[in-house]
Amino acid sequence: MAIFSLLFHLFILFFPLPALSFNITTLLSSYPDLSDFNHLLSTTSVAADLTHRSSLTLLAVPNSFLRSSDLTQRSPTSTNIADVIRYHVLLQYLSEPDLHQIPTTGKLITTLYQTTGRANSNFGSVNVTRNPLNDAVSIRSPVSYSTSNATVLSLIKTLPYNVSIFTVNSLLVPYGFDLMASESRPPLGLNITKALFDGHNFNVAASMLMASGVVEEFEEDEGGAGITLFVPTDLAFAELPTTERLQSLPADKKAVVLKFHVLHSYYPLGSLESIVNPVQPTLATEDMGAGSFTLNISRINGSVTIDTGIVQASVTQTVFDENPVAIFGVSRVLLPREIFGKNPTVTTKPGALVGAQPPDISPSPEYSPPSHLSSPPGFRGEITSRAYTNSGQSILTCFALLRLGLYLYV
């Protein structure tokens, strides 16, 4: 039986299962005591926000606790209600055993509210703690003197590695959050460098973006299809080998490297997690020509991995995520092989003058960002060929392993 267990795990390795999609309100509909909380999810935009996500934990508040909270005793705006509900969505899958393995010092976890950019500092995160005496798990603000906290009551639903739903005994309100604040807010026009500085771990990247001037181009692209940024942490820059002379590059090449970290569409984490080995063009591709400066994005061991051909990085955190902008922290600086490979091949866009500004590229009116990542027409032949090759090799390998297992078993 050990042989077949090994073969099963190898089969899963070669043919990973796609991420599950789910309707959070449907999952909660069979629990009458959560009807009020479910109603808030469905009447705000939060339920729709969760449709394309995976790897999350929902803290649901039963009717008896919700009806005695400020959310129902007062009359907050719809935006404020939605943000409070977002604060109950942890952007990490936690099983019941995971909760009971939380260190006594606590674990800071980002919530959906933190990704809106409306939270001050890291007040949109929660600190999950465990009492070693009775094993009770509490959810608190990262501000130690905050009065808003809740205790986890029970696990009511789980879809392994995608979503878990726990009940808690109190409504959680972010520290400093004004339930009665006016809803008259300016439309979203995210200041990307401010969002990175507020993240406290992206100072080098923020400074480079400001110095290069490309951040203004990124912010202009927030309209239309939106953008997705992969931003290296300060540690990633510190660990960059001295042989990779990023800072000594000419300004035009440095700008290309920064654009290499950006996809010209909005992709939430769930969309990134649900694809296997796609080749994606970047903003640098638009400047330098089709087929160049592409990223290979896949899911490996439960994490989103980005491969440039010479560097492999993983997504480490969500910095900001609200349509049309997603910003993710990554573990390494993404170095394009066209510049840092052994045989650099691309220096300027074909037919363009050195130092000339690339033309503005606007999305067509019919274009809308796909719910899952897809490849542009220019890449389909390459991807299809590679996919058939990889699939054929995987199938042959699995058949060989199965035959070996049957031979050993007999």
Side-chain angles (χ1 to χ4, degrees):
M1 294 302 294
I3 292 292
F4 286 103
S5 177
L6 173 62
L7 293 175
F8 173 78
H9 284 89
L10 287 171
F11 184 84
I12 294 299
L13 177 64
F14 280 103
F15 299 98
L17 296 175
L20 296 176
S21 61
F22 55 86
N23 185 315
I24 196 71
T25 56
T26 300
L27 293 178
L28 290 173
S29 62
S30 57
Y31 300 93
D33 194 35
L34 297 175
S35 59
D36 290 359
F37 190 83
N38 198 17
H39 176 73
L40 292 176
L41 279 169
S42 59
T43 54
T44 63
S45 61
V46 180
D49 289 346
L50 302 184
T51 302
H52 302 297
R53 289 184 175 274
S54 61
S55 299
L56 59 86
T57 299
L58 179 66
L59 305 175
V61 185
N63 295 346
S64 56
F65 297 107
L66 190 59
R67 290 170 185 174
S68 61
S69 70
D70 285 344
L71 204 63
T72 55
Q73 297 297 319
R74 305 167 74 180
S75 300
T77 64
S78 58
T79 300
N80 288 346
I81 292 174
D83 280 347
V84 170
I85 299 302
R86 289 186 181 99
Y87 194 56
H88 292 72
V89 181
L90 313 188
L91 299 184
Q92 181 177 336
Y93 171 79
L94 295 171
S95 65
E96 194 166 31
D98 289 336
L99 284 185
H100 294 293
Q101 292 173 7
I102 293 285
T104 55
T105 54
K107 180 177 182 178
L108 197 66
I109 298 178
T110 300
T111 73
L112 188 61
Y113 172 55
Q114 179 74 30
T115 68
T116 65
R118 292 190 285 272
N120 293 321
S121 187
N122 67 342
F123 295 168
S125 301
V126 294
N127 189 26
V128 183
T129 61
R130 179 178 58 85
N131 187 330
L133 299 179
N134 58 12
D135 217 29
V137 177
S138 298
I139 314 294
R140 305 176 182 275
S141 166
V143 180
S144 58
Y145 46 84
S146 172
T147 57
S148 180
N149 59 79
T151 299
V152 173
L153 299 175
S154 62
L155 172 70
I156 64 166
K157 190 75 175 179
T158 183
L159 299 176
Y161 309 109
N162 282 272
V163 60
S164 56
I165 304 174
F166 293 89
T167 54
V168 292
N169 69 350
S170 177
L171 183 76
L172 293 162
V173 178
Y175 178 77
F177 189 88
D178 184 1
L179 275 173
M180 304 307 296
S182 170
E183 197 168 7
S184 58
R185 294 170 176 165
L188 176 66
L190 178 66
N191 184 320
I192 293 175
T193 52
K194 182 181 184 302
L196 293 177
F197 281 127
D198 288 346
H200 304 295
N201 196 26
F202 304 95
N203 298 305
V204 176
S207 299
M208 289 184 67
L209 286 172
M210 290 178 65
S212 68
V214 298
V215 69
E216 287 82 4
E217 181 180 338
F218 295 172
E219 290 172 352
E220 289 175 1
D221 286 333
E222 291 178 15
I227 57 172
T228 301
L229 290 83
F230 301 111
V231 184
T233 62
D234 291 338
L235 181 61
F237 280 102
E239 293 178 343
L240 198 63
T242 55
T243 54
E244 310 296 357
R245 297 179 293 276
L246 174 60
Q247 297 295 349
S248 63
L249 287 175
D252 58 338
K253 283 190 177 181
K254 194 178 294 184
V256 170
V257 173
L258 292 173
K259 293 180 181 181
F260 184 59
H261 289 70
V262 184
L263 306 181
H264 200 170
S265 284
Y266 164 71
Y267 297 119
L269 186 61
S271 293
L272 294 177
E273 290 177 327
S274 64
I275 49 116
V276 178
N277 203 35
V279 176
Q280 286 295 309
T282 65
L283 286 188
T285 307
E286 298 180 3
D287 284 357
M288 309 307 289
S292 64
F293 292 90
T294 59
L295 294 174
N296 192 306
I297 305 174
S298 58
R299 187 179 184 184
I300 300 178
N301 296 328
S303 299
V304 174
T305 300
I306 306 164
D307 197 325
T308 73
I310 57 175
V311 169
Q312 189 176 83
S314 58
V315 171
T316 58
Q317 68 183 92
T318 300
V319 181
F320 182 91
D321 186 355
E322 184 176 1
N323 195 351
V325 181
I327 305 176
F328 302 104
V330 293
S331 60
R332 297 187 66 184
V333 180
L334 304 179
L335 302 176
R337 62 182 180 276
E338 289 86 352
I339 295 178
F340 295 93
K342 292 182 179 179
N343 298 301
T345 56
V346 179
T347 55
T348 58
K349 183 175 180 177
L353 296 175
V354 176
Q357 293 298 317
D360 290 334
I361 300 176
S362 301
S364 62
E366 304 82 30
Y367 184 84
S368 62
S371 59
H372 297 288
L373 290 178
S374 58
S375 303
F379 293 98
R380 290 198 185 277
E382 177 187 350
I383 296 171
T384 302
S385 173
R386 189 178 301 174
Y388 277 119
T389 302
N390 292 342
S391 178
Q393 291 174 346
S394 299
I395 291 172
L396 289 175
T397 303
C398 283
F399 274 122
L401 290 169
L402 288 169
R403 290 184 62 185
L404 174 62
L406 289 171
Y407 174 77
L408 294 174
Y409 182 73
V410 175

